[in-house]
């Protein structure tokens, strides 16, 4: 059984570019969560999605950030016009339903130059 | 009201000793309390979790103690091993406001000396 997969594992962008992070949940999981971890800090919730729906985006910055989880394919976290403060590890977690455990992927480490 | 406070920030334990990490929460609607272990460069891995209907849960060397009235819960690692050296995060979720999203503590860096 493959776990949660994220790619790329490392991403380097210059200020002003776009970053696109992908997450494939575990087989049978239709709930996806994105979290951000700044250096030496805990994880902060960003957004919760089910297939084709955003359920809770209360942790997502209002500008430049968007997320989707289409009917087919991985969930995408998109950061437009990246700034240095966006440098962090971005983790995706999946769950079979909203009341079950969340299993995390290995993360994407974004560095903005 | 959404905070989860974790202590200590770092912990050094000798091999074979007991590691104890504490967390306190404010939101009384929280009803799910997991602990995650994270190694450098890796994603968090679920260790053990508890719901408020029990006061203790044990899985192998790992035990969660839960005190609902004090709004506190703790992780005990018995017979700590060097391989347990990692960062540990407590988390909480539940209630209408928070739903299933996890609110994490700030983490505890555990070092187990041989």
């Amino acid at each position: 059984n493959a776990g949660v997969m994220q790619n790329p594992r490392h991403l380097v962008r210059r200020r002003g570019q776009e970053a696109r992070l992908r997450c494939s949940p575990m087989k049978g999981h239709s709930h996806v969560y994105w979290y951000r971890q700044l250096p030496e800090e805990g994880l902060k919730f960003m957004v919760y999605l089910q297939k084709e729906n955003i359920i809770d985006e209360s942790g997502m910055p209002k500008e430049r950030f968007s997320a989707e989880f289409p009917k087919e394919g991985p969930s995408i976290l998109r950061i437009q016009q990246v700034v240095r403060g966006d440098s962090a590890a971005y983790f995706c977690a999946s769950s079979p339903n909203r009341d079950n455990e969340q299993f995390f992927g290995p993360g994407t480490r974004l560095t903005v130059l | 009201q959404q905070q989860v406070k974790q202590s200590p920030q770092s912990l050094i334990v000798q091999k074979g000793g007991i590691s104890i990490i504490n967390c306190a929460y404010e939101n009384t609607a929280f009803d799910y309390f997991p602990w995650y272990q994270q190694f450098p460069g890796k994603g968090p891995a679920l260790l053990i979790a508890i719901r408020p209907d029990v006061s203790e849960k044990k899985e192998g060397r790992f035990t969660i103690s839960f005190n609902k009235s004090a709004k506190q819960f703790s992780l005990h690692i018995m017979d700590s091993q060097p391989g347990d050296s990692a960062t540990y995060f407590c988390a909480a979720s539940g209630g209408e406001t928070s739903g299933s999203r996890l609110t994490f503590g700030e983490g505890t860096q555990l070092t187990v000396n041989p």
Side-chain angles (χ1 to χ4, degrees), chain B:
Chain B
Q1 195 174 12
Q2 301 300 317
Q3 279 188 318
V4 176
K5 293 187 184 298
Q6 183 172 346
S7 62
Q9 191 173 6
S10 63
L11 180 62
I12 299 174
V13 172
Q14 290 301 118
K15 178 181 175 182
I18 302 173
S19 303
I20 302 174
I21 305 171
N22 301 298
C23 283
Y25 62 97
E26 298 172 357
N27 186 348
T28 55
F30 285 153
D31 62 4
Y32 174 67
F33 304 90
W35 284 90
Y36 284 85
Q37 178 190 58
Q38 186 179 30
F39 293 103
K42 306 292 185 184
L46 180 64
L47 259 182
I48 186 171
I50 197 168
R51 294 195 183 269
D53 51 344
V54 295
S55 60
E56 187 174 280
K57 183 174 180 180
K58 184 176 180 180
E59 288 184 2
R61 296 185 294 110
F62 301 93
T63 300
I64 298 180
S65 297
F66 184 78
N67 186 329
K68 188 174 180 178
S69 61
K71 292 187 288 185
Q72 295 175 348
F73 58 110
S74 60
L75 176 70
H76 296 232
I77 306 174
M78 312 300 286
D79 187 26
S80 299
Q81 298 297 313
D84 296 331
S85 297
T87 301
Y88 292 80
F89 293 97
C90 63
S93 68
E96 281 195 28
T97 305
S98 294
S100 58
R101 69 176 184 258
L102 291 169
T103 299
F104 282 86
E106 293 304 307
T108 295
Q109 187 151 354
L110 171 66
T111 302
V112 181
N113 288 328

